[in-house]
Amino acid sequence: MKDIHNCSLLPYNTFGIDVCADRFIEYSSEKELLKVIPLIAGQRYLHIGGGSNLLFTNHFHGVILHSAIKGIETVDDTPVYRYIRVGAAEVWDDVVAFSVEQGYSGLENLSLIPGEVGASAVQNIGAYGVEVKDVIDKVEAIDLQTGDKRVFDVEECCYGYRQSIFKQELRDKYAVTYVTYRLDKAFTPHLDYGNIRRELADVAEVTPAVVRNAIIRIRQSKLPDPKVHGNAGSFFKNPVVGRDVFGHIFSEYPSMPYYEVDGGVKIPAGWLIEQCGWKGKTMGRAGVNPLQALVLVNLGGASGQEVLQLCDTICEDVYQKFGIRISPEVNII
Ligand code: EPU
């Protein structure tokens, strides 16, 4: 177990925000996690994963928890599926690479999403027409008050767009320790999102590996590398608006991209932000990615407050221009 007082969080957040935590505890097994529970009783705590969806706006006065539970094991193998149980601290993209190398499908559209397995199940990560809920079989988690273990079937996780029970009524109550994914032995390509088909136009045979490489190329062409400019991927969620609001805006902006979803119409926040003139603009040491306006970047040494100020200004501008309230996807701490 790692237990560090006054720990720098710089290596633990991809935004590259230089803050400290009063205490940082990393456990490498469920047994070790049970020993951690009395240490956080009555304390403020935050469980992090790869730190790729976080914005620290201040030093963290409390305990940061991090899992180091690793491992990928096959737990069931049927003619149709292979089920793998993965430790929460495995890097998500390593799991995608493993699945593709073994010739299975289902995860390839989620290639190169930063972060760790535990957070993938909390956040319901998604990209290019697939969400991780589509491939999750079950989630194992430990109650951070009682130490009791609970196994959640995928239905019990109440997944929605970047939503789960772990972000709602069970927020901060459980630590995810293992996730079991259902890998498909047959390949059903999901190619309808954006420009995937265009990217694959010259390819004779589409395989999970070919799709993975295409997704990697698309992502790298517009999403900044956090090692160069700190960022947390999409900073905002794409808002869903009622059909009346949509109709009103669409009549003025007929080239606006949109997706019909349950309960309304989803409008890309990146498009709204670009229309407000923010794409590629900077404010202090924080900026808007010039290639994908949904991503805010740390231009070097930005404080969390600077990024938050940029976020608030953008939200207000979008509201003034379109009457739509966009909200951060990133957890602001
Ligand atoms: N768009 C613009 N200007 C921009 C950005 C986007 O006009 O600056 C337009 C694009 O032209 C396109 C539409 O908005 O018509 C959608 O853009 P894109 O395909 O890049 O996807 P997104 O909706 O902006 C979402 C996810 C991403 C995920 C992509 C691909 C959210 C919050 N973000 O972005 O997820 O990679 O779709 O599936 O849902 C992340 O969560 O960190 C993330 C990167």
Side-chain angles (χ1 to χ4, degrees):
M1 190 160 83
K2 239 189 225 175
D3 186 356
I4 305 167
H5 290 262
N6 270 327
C7 179
S8 166
L9 295 177
L10 196 52
Y12 297 103
N13 76 98
T14 61
F15 240 120
I17 305 293
D18 194 4
V19 289
C20 283
D22 290 351
R23 193 170 182 181
F24 176 91
I25 299 179
E26 187 178 80
Y27 56 90
S28 49
S29 64
E30 288 184 336
K31 215 167 136 195
E32 268 190 10
L33 175 56
L34 296 182
K35 293 191 193 141
V36 171
I37 289 174
L39 305 179
I40 60 169
Q43 307 267 329
R44 181 183 181 213
Y45 62 82
L46 173 72
H47 201 302
I48 62 167
S52 54
N53 202 39
L54 280 178
L55 177 69
F56 287 111
T57 54
N58 275 304
H59 294 299
F60 187 80
H61 296 299
V63 185
I64 296 282
L65 296 175
H66 186 237
S67 167
I69 299 179
K70 295 277 198 178
I72 303 181
E73 56 167 338
T74 297
V75 285
D76 200 5
D77 198 32
T78 74
V80 185
Y81 299 117
R82 179 170 167 192
Y83 292 83
I84 56 168
R85 178 176 182 254
V86 185
E90 288 289 344
V91 170
W92 167 255
D93 193 54
D94 291 351
V95 182
V96 181
F98 169 88
S99 166
V100 168
E101 274 157 25
Q102 304 273 316
Y104 300 114
S105 97
L107 308 192
E108 57 279 357
N109 286 46
L110 303 176
S111 289
L112 215 62
I113 295 182
E116 295 172 0
V117 158
S120 79
V122 171
Q123 174 71 1
N124 187 23
I125 56 172
Y128 304 101
V130 175
E131 289 182 318
V132 80
K133 73 171 174 55
D134 304 332
V135 292
I136 285 180
D137 179 51
K138 45 176 83 79
V139 176
E140 294 169 53
I142 302 250
D143 185 318
L144 288 171
Q145 273 183 345
T146 63
D148 292 342
K149 180 156 182 175
R150 181 165 163 196
V151 181
F152 294 79
D153 284 336
V154 67
E155 295 78 22
E156 292 176 294
C157 297
C158 305
Y159 283 124
Y161 170 58
R162 302 292 195 274
Q163 266 317 337
S164 74
I165 197 165
F166 307 108
K167 290 181 77 178
Q168 300 273 336
E169 56 259 52
L170 298 186
R171 189 177 191 100
D172 299 330
K173 296 242 173 357
Y174 279 86
V176 172
T177 52
Y178 290 93
V179 181
T180 301
Y181 300 100
R182 189 185 56 250
L183 310 181
D184 214 321
K185 293 189 175 178
F187 178 37
T188 312
H190 297 279
L191 308 178
D192 290 329
Y193 187 95
N195 48 0
I196 305 181
R197 277 191 199 279
R198 200 178 332 134
E199 190 68 30
L200 296 175
D202 300 330
V203 174
E205 193 196 354
V206 177
T207 63
V210 165
V211 174
R212 170 170 167 76
N213 289 333
I215 300 282
I216 289 175
R217 283 197 301 277
I218 296 170
R219 287 186 73 94
Q220 286 179 335
S221 72
K222 54 185 177 182
L223 298 175
D225 180 351
K227 290 188 195 92
V228 181
H229 280 138
N231 73 87
S234 301
F235 194 92
F236 301 96
K237 283 190 271 202
N238 288 330
V240 174
V241 300
R243 282 170 217 289
D244 47 343
V245 174
F246 166 74
H248 182 66
I249 302 173
F250 192 67
S251 62
E252 205 176 326
Y253 300 91
S255 62
M256 174 172 73
Y258 64 94
Y259 316 93
E260 299 275 353
V261 293
D262 284 349
V265 182
K266 190 184 268 190
I267 301 178
W271 182 87
L272 295 168
I273 296 166
E274 182 172 349
Q275 295 303 309
C276 292
W278 273 107
K279 196 170 185 171
K281 291 277 165 57
T282 62
M283 197 170 154
R285 292 168 292 179
V288 180
N289 176 28
L291 302 171
Q292 221 298 6
L294 198 53
V295 180
L296 303 190
V297 290
N298 178 351
L299 299 168
S303 67
Q305 294 289 348
E306 266 175 297
V307 179
L308 186 59
Q309 214 177 343
L310 175 61
C311 158
D312 289 345
T313 309
I314 290 172
C315 288
E316 193 51 36
D317 281 4
V318 168
Y319 182 66
Q320 291 302 329
K321 191 170 172 72
F322 294 102
I324 296 176
R325 291 255 177 233
I326 57 170
S327 56
E329 184 204 348
V330 165
N331 290 314
I332 297 173
I333 309 295

